[in-house]
Amino acid sequence: MAQGIPHNVMMNTTLIRDLADVAKDAALLKGVLMRIQETPNSSELVTYAPFTLFPTPVSKGAFLQALAVQTHYNTLVDKISQDPDFLHKALTSTITVDDFTARLFGIYQQVLKDGGFQPIALGLNRSDYMLDQGEDGSPCLKQIEINTFAASFGGLSSRMPDVHRQILKVAGLHEESQRILDNNPAVGLARAIAKAWELYGSEKAVIMFLVEDSQRNIFDQRCIENELWTRNIPTIRKQFDDIHKTGCLDQDKRLFVDGQEVAVVYFRNGYMPQNYVSEQAWDARLMMERSLAVKCPDIRTHLAGTKKVQQILAKPGVLEKFFPDQPQVVEQIRATFAGLYSLDMGPEGDKTVEMALAAPDRFVLKPQREGGAILPRSESYLGNNIYGSEICQVLEGVMESKERMAYILMDKIHPVPLQNYLLRRDTPLKISNCLSELGVFGAYVRTSVEDVLSPFSPPEDLLVRKSLIQWHSDDCRPRKGKDMVMNECVGHLLRTKSSEHADGGVAAGVAVLDNPLLV
């Protein structure tokens, strides 16, 4: 791609070896860190998180398009989460065949039955894209998925710009080093969490990170924790087992864990079936969902991020339901959609099966699982997508069964491979043909003054909560009725992998961290 890294630099083997040493040291100096695989719960031994030696050229127009549409995606997710009729209709077929989604939906129904949701909604999303090669050869932004649950690497991606700037300067590419964009998603994500904590209205309450048993990617989370501590907001880290053993709700549904009141639950675990190792873990999830604590995400926002909802949104007329009289917003969102097809029972699903069996290399078969992107965002999962001849094997086995409703079909995106070096611990240095995925982080907080001050608030907290709400600046002070008090695009993430891999995330050792070099 024009205006990328010069060919003579890419092919200078002596320089590349020297730059790789510089790069690894720069990553360690800047805090682009992971615990080692052998001891994922100890920081006694750490290594650099895998990353590219050079930033990857990315179309400036497509990049800006992705940033511009993110606040609309935030609004869309929030509106979907508040529409029980839509969620029920969208997921009816899925919950009959997918046990995990059915369990989540059961919690959703239980919270509705108990009287509804906490009026403060906190969303930290990441919309992931690849650049499809258009018929005229131009890059075309196409969404892979939107992650509403535990969208990771907002922390480490905040440290990556300085790493690539240093590499380019040492390589003598000073002009290119100045084109590396500032990027700090951790600050924006923490700002949204802090705003939700403020609205909750108890200075003694903590923000609880609900984390995995294996915490190799802890430094990504620590970046956000540190931003919160900078604001004097206390954080704790707990697992499902801790909630089961020490968690409880008081008469006002305030959540206490190990004796500490929890204002915000930030889920970094709970998006995959294997995260729920026992019924006690499911009980803990239900307890948190029923509580006064702000959840990120709450169960309805979790469901809004399912693949089936993504597929339903691509149908004609659906976006218009959520953005009436806003055709420009609808157009912006729809322009990012890839082709998405239902596998529900009936003529429409039959046509999808026939289409996939006739040309499997044109499609990706996606199950109702998080971490199923081309480069999934999950902390540790390898991915779930099905490609090529395996699509035929799966569909031929379920084509006459309702089991096929557990999947959706999506057009396969065809980005242009670019060459780069992927730096990983104990891996030989070699040039690779690479594909990249662009993620854009969004953060929003929605609430209403009346809701915060009435049904969930114990009387002794009313004055504190009212003063905290009034403390916000004029441009984001809540108004009467349900309202966004924050809706922002807060940063980006570029991940790159060798083109020989279909699935796999950064923590899984397949994709690596990167920076866009806009061209």
Side-chain angles (χ1 to χ4, degrees), residues 65 68-69 71-73 75-76 79 142 313-337:
Q65 179 188 0
V69 77
T71 55
H72 299 321
Y73 268 117
T75 301
L76 177 61
K79 288 186 175 185
K142 292 300 174 186
L313 289 172
K315 289 188 171 185
V318 177
L319 285 178
E320 285 82 354
K321 167 183 167 59
F322 294 104
F323 296 98
D325 305 318
Q326 293 181 275
Q328 290 182 333
V329 172
V330 170
E331 183 180 352
Q332 277 186 272
I333 295 174
R334 185 165 286 142
T336 67
F337 286 170

Side-chain angles (χ1 to χ4, degrees), residues 96-212:
T96 63
V97 294
D98 188 279
D99 292 340
F100 182 60
T101 306
R103 289 295 299 262
L104 297 174
F105 199 81
I107 292 175
Y108 171 66
Q109 290 179 309
Q110 183 64 52
V111 176
L112 284 176
K113 182 180 178 181
D114 287 350
F117 289 87
Q118 220 283 2
I120 304 169
L122 168 62
L124 304 180
N125 303 322
R126 199 188 68 229
S127 187
D128 291 335
Y129 307 90
M130 296 186 85
L131 298 184
D132 198 20
Q133 187 175 13
E135 293 182 1
D136 61 354
S138 62
C140 185
L141 187 76
K142 292 300 174 186
Q143 187 187 62
I144 303 297
E145 65 177 350
I146 187 162
N147 301 292
T148 64
F149 199 118
S152 61
F153 291 107
L156 295 190
S157 62
S158 301
R159 309 297 178 92
M160 278 300 300
D162 283 341
V163 174
H164 274 147
R165 286 177 183 134
Q166 177 71 5
I167 295 167
L168 293 176
K169 287 176 182 177
V170 174
L173 303 174
H174 296 279
E175 188 273 331
E176 287 84 351
S177 73
Q178 295 173 5
R179 287 162 47 202
I180 300 294
L181 301 170
D182 289 335
N183 185 39
N184 202 336
V187 169
L189 298 174
R191 187 167 65 250
I193 297 172
K195 196 171 291 294
W197 177 84
E198 292 165 0
L199 287 168
Y200 182 86
S202 174
E203 292 184 354
K204 296 179 180 179
V206 302
I207 292 168
M208 181 175 73
F209 284 56
L210 197 284
V211 299
E212 293 178 300

